[in-house]
Amino acid sequence: MSQPSISSKKRLMFMFALTSLAILGLIIRLGWIQIVNGEKYKELAKSQQTRDIPIPAKRGVIYDRNGKELAISASTNTVWIRPREISDADAEHTAEKLAKILGLNASEVEEKIKDKRYSTVRIVYWIDDNIAEEIRNEKLKGVYIAEDNKRHYPYGNFASYILGHTNVDNRGIAGIEMEYDKYLSGIPGRWIKSTDGAGRQLAFSVERYYPPEEGLNVVLTIDEVIQHFAEKAIQNALEINQATRVTTIVMDVKTGEILAMAAKPDYDPNTPRVPLDEAVKLQLEGLSQNEQLETWYSMWRNPMINDTYEPGSTFKLVTTAAVLEEGVATPNSHFYSSGTINVAGRTLKCWRYYNPHGDQTLTEAVQNSCNTVFVQLGEKLGTNSFYSYIDAFGFTDTTSVDLPGERKSIMYQLPQVGPVELATMSFGQSISVTPIQLITAISAIANDGMLMKPRIVKELVDQEGRVVHRFEETMVRQVISEKTSREMREIMESVVVEGSGKAAYIPGYSVGGKTGTAQKVIDGRYAPGYYVASFVGVAPIDDPRLAILVIVDEPKGLSHFGSITAAPIAREILEESLRYLEIRPKYTEEEAERLIKADVIVPEIRQLSVKDAKKVLTESKLLYNIETEHQVEDSAVIVDMFPKPGAKVQENSTILLYTKDSANDAVVLMPNLTGKTIGEVNRIANALGLRLKISGSGVVASQYPEANEEIPQGTIISVDFKPN
């Protein structure tokens, strides 16, 4: 056997040494990775293998003060894909299937599928269950349906400026949704599992699921019924007065709780980027992205919190309160108005300068809204004293109401105030305030001088109904004395009874208030033909419960005066709200004689001729209506009637009469409607051929005729509803 040559041994030794060095290097490298950088690579491996899937928390409900749901979270479905689990060969097929079911562009979906940079990609939000089931039936690889929550506002654009809305990620971006987002949003859950490179779960991995914690529920001070009264009234006023905007706030005088806050036009928080006005919707389509954003933000802006305006003559109540408190004048102090007044070389006019008010008391000056008298009052009060009351009533700062974006007022700094500025501010010009500031101040005037902090949230409640936090009423300061408050209420009532606020008069209720008409400032100067009409009121004035502010921006109808445009709106809202709150009217003798009708027993007139029946009903102070489509002769015989003989009704009530020709209609048994909704009552009435006279909202509280009474088809039944 031949021995290896020296050269062969050298080569073997070289290879052995080289191999040994390589192995040593690998050992060192492996030791470096596993020992020195072991923790680092361990964490990197975990991050690659671990899939952390967020589980959205269910957003809390927003309730009105009586537990009515105003904003809820509805369970829905969201479509996700995992691009790494879908091969490029299957991408086109998957995209076409999804696009067909979801109504999307197939090429855009395919582009998302082929983009492997992301582990999960959301294809579409909030699809119905039937569409989700259709996708599941296709059994598409890498396509997942995840349960999600969508914010829903059951009443559409109702209270939209209060509630605000959320974005696609369920984060609040306006109103209560934004202000209380951290409470409403809850804490998201997590689903943690280990997967391989293809996204498949590892066989021996540990899976962890952390359930989401639902958000807290928010209970508002808003009363859904009073909010409905307010929105209905201002929507009608917007159309009648052809105004740019109409706003209103209703506040509980004693607590500062906001019972209603509304502005029209508004928007639907379910579709916050789609204007309700068709013209604005069309205009939006042609705008750039930045211009669209500006339009949306303008549409979402709460004008009662975020905007200022010149209050005009409604601000005279603040000046009057300061004058009375300082003892500068009494309600019976006399002043003279010649129609104009010269202040530092500038002539200021009363609105009725052409027919001056002449001699008048302070009370009459408020009734007449005489500017020249208030210029005199401002001079007597002095700048420092006047500003101290402006500050005390809260006009120099925000009210801290719990809504986002509240603005401060706009006014002169004290060193800038000269005789002319003081004069114009005394009657509500040269000062801009927010609506929430003004109604808070007027409430203080009526509330024995106590300024309350306005609030719109009552409490936070968990999912079991336990109160987590209650927001108590807060008195900010005592601004004026009880004596001054009492005098101011008497003056405010005289404005409605004898002065410019007569359109706000409600029989049986003592209403006090003040009208205002201010010329608008556009581009830094007063613009002719552009006005803001307003009315601020309190009721009942003898025991104040409700304060109301109504603002009509740029009315273009019959009048621009607050006494004609704004006061009737306030009357409508106050009258309905006071009756809803079961505040009983207190009629004067004159009102009682004019309005309260005596009870009358319905006489028996069946089998009488129409002629004789009319005579009997007229003598009983009752009206009548013959239920027939044909001409009825006086000789026709009455065969039935409603209400029945012996029923007790008020004078001038209408009795329905049925003659032989009209008596062929079927007789039906009156059903029991108690507890039923308006929709249910309508369906029952249509099925039985009955007609409805409805009052209130909610569920049926009472009905007439009573249940189980036989009545002819076509009878008008009276149904009273109450909130459920």
Side-chain angles (χ1 to χ4, degrees):
M1 180 175 170
S2 61
Q3 295 293 324
S5 63
I6 298 298
S7 62
S8 294
K9 288 181 179 182
K10 288 182 178 180
R11 283 197 297 272
L12 285 172
M13 291 300 294
F14 176 76
M15 291 302 297
F16 176 75
L18 188 63
T19 303
S20 297
L21 286 173
I23 292 172
L24 180 61
L26 289 172
I27 292 171
I28 294 171
R29 178 61 179 163
L30 186 60
W32 183 267
I33 291 172
Q34 290 190 332
I35 299 172
V36 180
N37 287 338
E39 287 300 317
K40 172 186 174 183
Y41 288 105
K42 183 179 177 181
E43 292 301 319
L44 287 173
K46 282 184 178 179
S47 65
Q48 288 180 339
Q49 295 171 358
T50 303
R51 176 158 289 137
D52 188 350
I53 302 172
I55 309 297
K58 189 173 183 181
R59 199 170 175 84
V61 178
I62 301 177
Y63 296 100
D64 88 324
R65 66 187 300 116
N66 299 315
K68 186 68 69 69
E69 293 178 342
L70 303 181
I72 61 176
S73 289
S75 294
T76 182
N77 304 282
T78 296
V79 180
W80 295 81
I81 60 168
R82 293 177 184 161
R84 294 176 186 173
E85 297 182 20
I86 306 172
S87 65
D88 290 344
D90 294 333
E92 184 178 354
H93 170 73
T94 303
E96 287 177 355
K97 287 289 185 182
L98 286 176
K100 182 178 179 181
I101 296 172
L102 298 172
L104 302 175
N105 184 289
S107 59
E108 292 179 359
V109 176
E110 185 178 354
E111 186 178 338
K112 291 180 179 180
I113 292 173
K114 289 182 176 180
D115 188 350
K116 309 297 183 183
R117 292 176 299 171
Y118 305 102
S119 60
T120 55
V121 177
R122 186 161 36 198
I123 296 297
V124 68
Y125 290 98
W126 308 327
I127 61 171
D128 294 334
D129 289 342
N130 58 334
I131 297 177
E133 190 60 29
E134 189 176 349
I135 294 174
R136 289 191 185 98
N137 292 337
E138 292 292 338
K139 298 180 179 179
L140 299 170
K141 186 178 180 182
V143 177
Y144 297 88
I145 308 295
E147 187 175 329
D148 203 351
N149 296 306
K150 179 184 179 183
R151 203 58 166 167
H152 178 62
Y153 304 89
Y155 298 100
N157 63 327
F158 177 77
S160 55
Y161 287 116
I162 300 170
L163 301 175
H165 60 278
T166 61
N167 60 15
V168 292
D169 293 317
N170 263 341
R171 307 300 302 188
I173 56 175
I176 291 295
E177 296 279 25
M178 178 179 180
E179 188 73 6
Y180 285 84
D181 185 68
K182 65 179 179 180
Y183 301 108
L184 286 163
S185 57
I187 302 174
R190 299 170 69 191
W191 179 22
I192 301 173
K193 61 180 182 176
S194 297
T195 60
D196 61 14
R200 296 184 295 266
Q201 187 167 349
L202 296 176
F204 301 103
S205 64
V206 178
E207 185 176 346
R208 293 183 179 89
Y209 178 77
Y210 300 95
E213 184 178 323
E214 294 186 9
L216 293 174
N217 302 320
V218 173
V219 180
L220 303 180
T221 62
I222 294 297
D223 191 305
E224 178 259 343
V225 176
I226 297 177
Q227 181 76 19
H228 270 297
F229 293 154
E231 296 209 8
K232 177 191 68 173
I234 65 172
Q235 181 62 51
N236 291 338
L238 181 74
E239 297 167 4
I240 292 170
N241 294 292
Q242 303 170 40
T244 301
R245 186 188 294 276
V246 183
T247 61
T248 186
I249 303 175
V250 181
M251 179 179 284
D252 186 315
V253 169
K254 299 184 185 301
T255 65
E257 292 180 345
I258 298 172
L259 301 177
M261 176 186 283
K264 298 290 180 180
D266 51 13
Y267 72 99
D268 187 344
N270 290 302
T271 53
R273 298 192 176 194
V274 181
L276 297 177
D277 189 313
E278 290 296 328
V280 178
K281 190 187 298 184
L282 291 173
Q283 181 185 1
L284 197 64
E285 294 175 358
L287 300 179
S288 66
Q289 186 174 358
N290 287 337
E291 290 172 330
Q292 286 182 342
L293 284 172
E294 290 179 9
T295 303
W296 289 330
Y297 288 137
S298 175
M299 186 169 65
W300 302 336
R301 187 181 182 86
N302 184 341
M304 296 150 285
I305 304 295
N306 306 140
D307 291 344
T308 62
Y309 78 109
E310 285 202 359
S313 294
T314 56
F315 196 76
K316 290 173 181 173
L317 294 178
V318 175
T319 305
T320 306
V323 165
L324 293 176
E325 184 68 15
E326 288 297 302
V328 171
T330 69
N332 296 318
S333 296
H334 281 261
F335 297 88
Y336 184 81
S337 171
S338 62
T340 61
I341 188 170
N342 187 282
V343 179
R346 180 177 170 182
T347 300
L348 301 178
K349 296 181 180 180
C350 175
W351 66 272
R352 213 179 77 173
Y353 65 92
Y354 53 86
N355 183 18
H357 292 110
D359 182 72
Q360 56 196 317
T361 65
L362 175 60
T363 299
E364 290 170 335
V366 179
Q367 293 174 13
N368 298 329
S369 200
C370 184
N371 287 352
T372 56
V373 170
F374 279 87
V375 172
Q376 299 173 51
L377 292 173
E379 290 176 348
K380 289 178 178 290
L381 195 59
T383 304
N384 290 330
S385 182
F386 184 56
Y387 260 65
S388 70
Y389 280 94
I390 288 178
D391 179 57
F393 276 114
F395 290 108
T396 57
D397 201 356
T398 62
T399 65
S400 298
V401 66
D402 35 359
L403 283 170
E406 184 183 5
R407 285 189 63 182
K408 289 185 177 181
S409 60
I410 301 174
M411 63 178 69
Y412 294 107
Q413 296 296 318
L414 189 58
Q416 300 173 320
V417 179
V420 175
E421 288 76 21
L422 176 62
T424 55
M425 287 175 69
S426 68
F427 55 79
Q429 290 189 359
S430 302
I431 181 173
S432 288
V433 302
T434 61
I436 191 67
Q437 284 179 318
L438 183 63
I439 194 171
T440 303
I442 299 304
S443 294
I445 289 174
N447 187 33
D448 292 334
M450 292 182 287
L451 182 72
M452 305 301 292
K453 177 185 173 182
R455 60 194 176 108
I456 204 165
V457 173
K458 197 177 184 71
E459 55 197 16
L460 303 176
V461 180
D462 66 16
Q463 300 304 317
E464 282 71 43
R466 294 187 295 265
V467 176
V468 176
H469 181 76
R470 181 173 284 114
F471 298 88
E472 303 292 346
E473 59 189 65
T474 304
M475 176 182 165
V476 180
R477 67 182 72 90
Q478 184 84 30
V479 183
I480 57 176
S481 66
E482 291 185 27
K483 176 178 177 292
T484 300
S485 174
R486 187 166 54 254
E487 291 173 340
M488 284 299 302
R489 293 198 298 268
E490 292 173 358
I491 291 174
M492 291 169 68
E493 184 177 17
S494 74
V495 173
V496 173
V497 175
E498 305 174 49
S500 59
K502 290 180 180 177
Y505 165 74
I506 305 172
Y509 295 100
S510 52
V511 180
K514 183 71 186 77
T515 59
T517 307
Q519 201 168 5
K520 286 191 70 172
V521 176
I522 299 177
D523 296 330
R525 61 180 61 190
Y526 290 103
Y530 292 88
Y531 296 92
V532 176
S534 58
F535 177 86
V536 63
V538 175
I541 205 71
D542 52 347
D543 182 20
R545 288 285 303 277
L546 301 180
I548 187 170
L549 172 63
V550 175
I551 303 170
V552 184
D553 189 9
E554 297 183 18
K556 304 177 188 69
L558 296 175
S559 173
H560 62 263
F561 290 108
S563 57
I564 298 174
T565 58
I569 307 170
R571 171 195 165 145
E572 180 182 344
I573 298 170
L574 283 176
E575 184 171 18
E576 291 182 315
S577 299
L578 290 167
R579 294 187 184 279
Y580 161 70
L581 294 173
E582 298 182 352
I583 299 174
R584 300 182 65 83
K586 301 175 183 177
Y587 295 105
T588 63
E589 290 184 7
E590 181 185 347
E591 289 173 337
E593 184 178 347
R594 179 164 49 91
L595 298 171
I596 299 178
K597 301 172 184 176
D599 288 336
V600 176
I601 302 299
V602 178
E604 173 63 87
I605 56 173
R606 289 174 294 189
Q607 305 307 316
L608 296 181
S609 66
V610 170
K611 180 179 180 181
D612 292 338
K614 289 178 180 179
K615 182 179 179 181
V616 172
L617 292 176
T618 302
E619 290 173 352
S620 299
K621 297 182 180 180
L622 293 171
L623 305 176
Y624 55 85
N625 184 32
I626 300 175
E627 288 290 296
T628 179
E629 297 178 359
H630 309 289
Q631 183 70 29
V632 177
E633 300 291 335
D634 283 348
S635 58
V637 176
I638 304 297
V639 295
D640 205 352
M641 58 191 293
F642 178 78
K644 302 293 185 185
K648 186 184 289 185
V649 298
Q650 288 187 339
E651 286 182 356
N652 297 325
S653 294
T654 300
I655 308 301
L656 303 181
L657 305 179
Y658 298 87
T659 65
K660 281 184 177 178
D661 290 335
S662 63
N664 294 326
D665 293 333
V667 174
V668 297
L669 196 65
M670 180 68 187
N672 184 0
L673 303 175
T674 304
K676 298 190 181 300
T677 64
I678 291 178
E680 292 171 330
V681 170
N682 275 318
R683 286 193 292 272
I684 293 171
N686 289 336
L688 297 178
L690 301 173
R691 291 184 288 169
L692 293 173
K693 179 183 178 183
I694 292 174
S695 62
S697 62
V699 297
V700 176
S702 62
Q703 65 182 73
Y704 188 82
E706 300 294 336
N708 300 320
E709 184 175 337
E710 288 188 351
I711 55 175
Q713 281 187 339
T715 297
I716 300 175
I717 60 175
S718 178
V719 185
D720 292 324
F721 289 81
K722 68 176 181 179
N724 57 356

